[in-house]
Every structure is written in C-alpha cells, then in structure tokens.
Amino acid sequence: MLLEIKDLTKQFGGLTAVNRFDMYIDEGEIVGLIGPNGAGKSTIYNLVTGIYAPNRGRVIFNGKDITRMKPHRVAALGIGRTFQLNPLFPDFTVLQNVSASFHLHPHSNLFDIYFNTPTYRRNEAIIQQRSLEILQLVGLEKVKDDLAKNLPHGYQKMLGVARSLATQPKLLLLDEPLGGMNPAEIDFSLNSIKKMRQQGITIMIVEHNMRILDLCDRVVVINFGQKICEGLSEEVRENKEVISAYFGG
Amino acid sequence: MKRNGINRWAKPAAITGLIIILAILPLLLSSPYLLHILILTFVYVVGAMSFRTITISGQFPLAHAAFMGIGAYTAAMASRYLDWPPWITIPAGALTAGIIGIGFGYPFARLRTLYYAMGSLFFGVAITYIVQSLKVTGGYVGLTKVQPLFSTVSRVPYYYFFLGLALVCAVALYRFEFSRIGTNLKAIAQSHLLASSVGINEVRYRVLVVAVGCFFVGLVGAAFAHYTPIVTPSTFNLSATLWLAMYVMIGGMNSFAGPIIGTPILYFIPQYYFSDLRAYSPFIPAVILIIIAYLMPRGLAGLISILKSRYLDKFWGGIKAKEAADAVRN
C-alpha cells in the first residue's frame, strides 16, 4: 500500500466536512475520487498534504505516518498535487513556473545559491533542461516565455500538472484536471495522465467529468464527507447510491 | 529570458553613468549641506531597498525603521559604553538587527497581508517606546558622543563611505533577489499553498528574508550612528517607516530600481530644493501617491519600462506578440 487513510475526520465548526473516511492506494494504480460539489474531496486532499490537520484519523504514506506533517515535508516525501483554483504562479512565465517547482530535486543549499557555486550552476542547468522536457511532455514548450496568467484556461490546467511533475512525486494528487476543458483538451490530458502512469507515478484524481472513469483502476465515491461506495469503474457507474447522489431521486 | 539589443546595453550603461556621476559629485560641489542630504539619501536608499526585499515575499514590514534604530542604538551604545571601534560596532549593529529580525519574523510568519502589516507596525511602535523609556538608550533625548567614523569635519569621506556602503548593499540584495532564493520568495508571495506543495518551507524562507532585510537596514543604521551627532528615537519611529514605504511604493514595488529612483525623488529633491515645504510633508507624498496610482500603477520604475515598451519595443514587441498568438492557436 502506497497511501492509507484511516478513519479520517475533519470538522469546521459544526460542519463535518470529512467523516470517518477510509481508503487506500496501491503502487501504480490510478484511483478516482468522485462525488458532488461540497462532498469533501478537496478537504481530503488538504488533509493528506498537511494543509489542514484532521480532528481524528491517520494518513500513512509509504509506511510512514504523515498525519499533521507540514505541507513542504509531505511534498519532500513524494506527494505532489495540483490545485483546482490557483493552479499556478500567475506572475511567472510558463518555464519559470516549472523551474520554480524544482525546489526538491536537485536541491541546492542557501550557501550554494547565494554564492553561485559550480554545484548551484550545475543544478540550475539540469533544472532548465528537465523543465523543458516536462513542457514538451504536456505540449507547452511553444508558450514557455509567456506569463502563466495570460494562458488560456486549458493550458493553465496542463501547466498545473506539469508544475507538479517537477517535484518528482511517487503519488500525484490531481484536483479536477479536466475542469473547464474542451473535448480536444480532455483527450490530450487523459493521454498525458496515461503517460505519467507509464513513468511509474501513482495517481489519485478528483474529478466531476465521468470520462475520467475510463482511466481509473478503482473509484471511490463520497457524499457529505462519507464514503458511499467503492469499486471498479463499471460497478460504480451502475451503483444506485451514486446515481442518486449525482442526479437526485 | 532573452534580452533584445537595446536592453542589453541600456541598463549597465545607466548604472555605470550613475556611479561615475555620484563618484565625482563631491569634486564639483562643496556645499556641506548638499553632501549631508546626499549622505542621508544613501542611508534611506539602503533602508528602502531592504524594505522592498522583504516585500517580495508578500510581507509588508511596517517595523522597518525600528530595525534601523536597533542597528543604530546597538552601535551607539557599544561605542559609548564599551569603547568598541566602529569597525566592530557596525557589524555588531547589523547582526543584532538581523538576530532580532529572526525573533520577530518567526511568530509573524504566520500572519499574512494586512494582519502582517498591522502586527509589524505595532512591533515597531513598541520598540520605539522601549527605547524612549530606557535610561541606557538616553530616553527621549537620545545618545550623543558616539565616536565619529572619521576624525575630520569634512563630509567628503562620509559621502564616499555611505556611497560605497549603499553600493555593497545594492549588489548583495540584488544577488539575493535574483537567485533561486528570490524565486522561492516570489513563489510564496504568489501562492503560499502552491509553494509549500512543491516543498518550499514557507516559514523558513519568510524568516530568512526578514532577517536579511533587517540585517542590511541595521547595517546602515549602525553606520549612521557614527555619522550623526545624536541618535534619537524619533529618527526611527513609525513615520520614518512609513516614509520608507513611500519611497518604495512611489519608486515601484515590482522593480529593483524602485527604491533607488523613489528615494531621491521623495527625499533628496524636497529636502534640498523645497525644505520649507517639508512642513507639509505628510500631504505631499499622499498627493504624489494618488497621482502615481492613477498614471503609473507600477511606480516610477514601471513608468520607464512602460515608455520603453511603448516606443522602443514596438518593433520587437509586435513580432513577439504575433508569435505568441500563433503558438496559442497551434
């Protein structure tokens, strides 16, 4: 098991956003986390990555308890993520967005950075090189010198994913990677996600768009902070509770 | 990013020209008052530059002049009571300001935007009150009889000393900002959640930048203590901080040149040419700030790049915009 979430609970005042939630992810899987708006999907991401501290429960990553760990330490252990809103650094160029995300590997210490030592220069050259490779992977190398905030919406989403790849994650948490994309962009994104899996990255996806189900090995459905069903994509599609959560009735 | 033809030469040429002019200025002018105002301008340029360095991390440090005071008082007291020579007291003042900056930066690293600004404002006010009420700091009156840096009455050696100090600080702060450290700080300012999701330790970097900013303002404050005949608390109070903020904002917060342009315009020119008007001083920058917010939202330094892009870059800009549009379309 790469990630294990046990009995996770988060309350905001009187509201229980996530209630006794359990799930696991095995290495190499693509797992979907779906549910209506406000079901608690993004809260789960924020609990796993340390932005929120849970009221109860544990998060175990790669055999290590990461509950209440600070976000930058979670990132250093190998959990990358994208954000649904604010997916990128708006005032950086596309290339800077990716190269700024190469904070962890290769890492230069403050002394090397400030005194511009050969180690630092070598690291920066590697970073520039790898940033361009990542931009080629997601097809953004043509706009690498544009400010990120000036990109069209679909490109911004893809840049968000490209940026998170720079942390070289073992587990990547994607937050609505297809939101607001047109069909062509969706095809392209699904393809990029497949490519990432081939590179050995385990992926968890929060998404509304049901086309994501084709990609997932397993799907977890939540509503009102609770898991209502879990299974293979086909099973979930047929599940009555899922249908009622999405369409009412 | 690639720079086009004229940019590559314009900046180094302007900087070299400015340094040459400043270096030969004392040979052309002999007015001690003018030299005095120029020396203070150098002091405030360093104050404003280090202020701006902290703002690139998204923190607005409204205790900044108080840290200049910490440097100045440390140096003044070490010189007066312990008889330490200036070459020890000045680094000691800078280090003290930097270390207190770490102690101040750590708890404040949890605050953001307006809350940070207000919190730091009260911290600065508290420091002023402490200095005013202690006997060892000379209370309201301040400290006199600090050993002067040079044993002449002439201001020329001081002029070169502070010019050199300002240049050293400018280079040090420039290297700090335009390295990966500066990139990380700017990333934190744009989105702290995103920055920490790529492994940047937000608290560590925010404390680091405060310590660096306080170190440099403490350094110039400590040097100032060996120049001025008297170190008083009012030199480093809240209104002094707000003046530093004005120099930065009017010069342009998003540009390294901002405080270097803003300080002479807001301090040197009014002080030297319109010293009578300085009684109305709180109104003048307010009016200038409103005009600048309307006409040049990126400050005076921004104005230069706007004019440049309007006239000089028209040709290159047009080509680049077309390429970008094509790239998006494809």
Side-chain angles (χ1 to χ4, degrees):
Chain A
M1 251 183 288
L2 188 62
L3 181 80
E4 191 180 7
I5 299 173
K6 281 195 285 201
D7 199 28
L8 202 64
T9 301
K10 177 68 185 172
Q11 289 161 332
F12 295 108
L15 177 82
T16 306
V18 176
N19 194 4
R20 316 206 69 158
F21 180 78
D22 297 287
M23 80 175 277
Y24 69 94
I25 301 176
D26 280 329
E27 207 149 350
E29 272 190 311
I30 298 185
V31 178
L33 179 62
I34 65 170
N37 279 321
K41 305 182 297 288
S42 295
T43 308
I44 289 173
Y45 272 15
N46 288 340
L47 289 167
V48 170
T49 54
I51 291 170
Y52 298 149
N55 296 85
R56 194 170 58 212
R58 317 229 62 94
V59 182
I60 292 150
F61 176 69
N62 227 351
K64 197 165 179 179
D65 191 336
I66 59 164
T67 325
R68 295 191 176 80
M69 203 178 260
K70 286 262 183 304
H72 66 269
R73 298 203 46 216
V74 175
L77 286 177
I79 301 186
R81 71 169 291 184
T82 66
F83 289 83
Q84 186 187 341
L85 307 166
N86 317 317
L88 34 77
F89 300 116
D91 294 327
F92 282 165
T93 66
V94 170
L95 184 60
Q96 280 173 330
N97 257 280
V98 182
S99 62
S101 303
F102 271 101
H103 177 71
L104 292 166
H105 322 278
H107 183 78
S108 310
N109 64 37
L110 292 176
F111 179 87
D112 282 337
I113 297 173
Y114 191 78
F115 293 100
N116 200 15
T117 60
T119 319
Y120 171 65
R121 267 175 283 167
R122 201 172 332 118
N123 284 347
E124 287 301 297
I126 294 170
I127 287 171
Q128 288 301 310
Q129 171 70 27
R130 290 211 200 134
S131 302
L132 284 172
E133 283 167 16
I134 289 180
L135 286 180
Q136 275 161 10
L137 179 78
V138 297
L140 287 176
E141 80 274 16
K142 279 172 288 187
V143 290
K144 68 180 165 61
D145 290 329
D146 287 11
L147 282 186
K149 63 181 171 192
N150 296 338
L151 289 184
H153 182 80
Y155 279 34
Q156 292 197 356
K157 285 266 171 186
M158 275 181 242
L159 179 57
V161 176
R163 222 187 31 63
S164 65
L165 285 178
T167 62
Q168 296 171 23
K170 292 192 194 79
L171 172 67
L172 184 56
L173 310 180
L174 299 173
D175 201 346
E176 300 206 13
L178 306 182
M181 283 189 169
N182 67 37
E185 287 169 337
I186 288 178
D187 287 337
F188 188 87
S189 294
L190 292 177
N191 237 326
S192 317
I193 294 172
K194 268 184 216 155
K195 271 189 221 163
M196 286 174 220
R197 188 234 286 264
Q198 282 159 13
Q199 293 185 349
I201 302 171
T202 308
I203 297 168
M204 178 165 166
I205 307 176
V206 157
E207 187 51 69
H208 281 299
N209 193 313
M210 287 299 166
R211 284 193 59 191
I212 207 76
L213 293 181
D214 304 338
L215 210 63
C216 295
D217 302 316
R218 225 152 32 82
V219 177
V220 175
V221 188
I222 66 168
N223 198 14
F224 297 113
Q226 269 173 317
K227 182 153 79 177
I228 56 173
C229 109
E230 180 173 6
L232 303 174
S233 301
E234 300 78 35
E235 296 166 9
V236 167
R237 237 189 272 255
E238 309 293 323
N239 186 296
K240 283 217 177 73
E241 258 189 285
V242 175
I243 293 167
S244 79
Y246 266 93
F247 304 111
Chain B
M1 267 197 292
K2 222 165 45 182
R3 295 218 187 124
N4 47 37
I6 196 134
N7 276 359
R8 199 185 298 156
W9 297 108
K11 248 186 215 168
I15 293 165
T16 318
L18 183 68
I19 293 172
I20 290 172
I21 290 169
L22 288 173
I24 60 171
L25 211 56
L27 307 175
L28 308 173
L29 310 158
S30 54
S31 153
Y33 180 64
L34 178 62
L35 285 180
H36 172 66
I37 300 297
L38 280 168
I39 290 166
L40 291 182
T41 308
F42 295 146
V43 170
Y44 291 130
V45 162
V46 175
M49 278 193 305
S50 53
F51 184 103
R52 197 190 141 272
T53 299
I54 299 178
T55 65
I56 63 172
S57 66
Q59 309 178 93
F60 204 74
L62 289 181
H64 207 57
F67 281 96
M68 191 188 268
I70 289 172
Y73 271 95
T74 306
M77 290 192 297
S79 168
R80 234 183 94 121
Y81 302 127
L82 306 172
D83 260 337
W84 289 4
W87 61 271
I88 297 179
T89 60
I90 292 175
L95 277 177
T96 310
I99 289 165
I100 294 179
I102 294 174
F104 149 81
Y106 190 75
F108 280 76
R110 278 147 223 282
L111 302 180
R112 287 179 217 291
T113 59
L114 197 55
Y115 298 91
Y116 183 92
M118 292 308 286
S120 61
L121 185 149
F122 285 111
F123 184 87
V125 171
I127 286 186
T128 313
Y129 272 112
I130 291 169
V131 168
Q132 275 174 1
S133 53
L134 290 179
K135 209 165 207 169
V136 72
T137 55
Y140 280 97
V141 184
L143 285 174
T144 53
K145 294 188 207 139
V146 179
Q147 186 196 339
L149 210 46
F150 302 105
S151 50
T152 68
V153 282
S154 162
R155 294 190 196 275
V156 176
Y158 286 101
Y159 176 90
Y160 284 113
F161 177 79
F162 280 97
L163 173 62
L165 188 66
L167 285 175
V168 168
C169 293
V171 171
L173 290 171
Y174 186 88
R175 291 202 35 81
F176 182 79
E177 180 172 346
F178 293 94
S179 68
R180 182 159 273 274
I181 304 172
T183 310
N184 288 346
L185 292 168
K186 287 171 186 171
I188 290 168
Q190 289 173 62
S191 168
H192 65 276
L193 289 180
L194 215 52
S196 52
S197 86
V198 299
I200 297 170
N201 186 342
E202 187 201 352
V203 171
R204 182 167 171 237
Y205 273 91
R206 283 180 61 183
V207 174
L208 173 73
V209 72
V210 170
V212 168
C214 292
F215 175 88
F216 282 102
V217 82
L219 179 68
V220 80
F224 173 77
H226 290 280
Y227 166 71
T228 184
I230 179 164
V231 180
T232 61
S234 63
T235 318
F236 312 111
N237 62 10
L238 175 60
S239 87
T241 300
L242 295 178
W243 275 105
L244 289 181
M246 289 305 270
Y247 302 150
V248 174
M249 289 169 78
I250 286 173
M253 300 212 19
N254 293 327
S255 161
F256 190 84
I260 301 168
I261 297 169
T263 311
I265 287 180
L266 220 63
Y267 178 76
F268 175 74
I269 295 177
Q271 192 79 356
Y272 191 66
Y273 292 101
F274 315 104
S275 45
D276 301 338
L277 280 179
R278 197 118 161 127
Y280 305 98
S281 57
F283 305 104
I284 299 169
V287 171
I288 297 177
L289 190 65
I290 291 169
I291 293 172
I292 285 188
Y294 266 109
L295 297 181
M296 11 178 165
R298 285 157 66 203
L300 290 163
L303 180 71
I304 294 173
S305 61
I306 288 171
L307 289 178
K308 195 168 66 60
S309 66
R310 192 169 292 170
Y311 297 108
L312 291 176
D313 291 352
K314 215 169 213 170
F315 178 67
W316 292 292
I319 290 175
K320 196 162 173 289
K322 193 169 168 294
E323 276 173 2
D326 288 344
V328 169
R329 224 172 283 131
N330 297 333

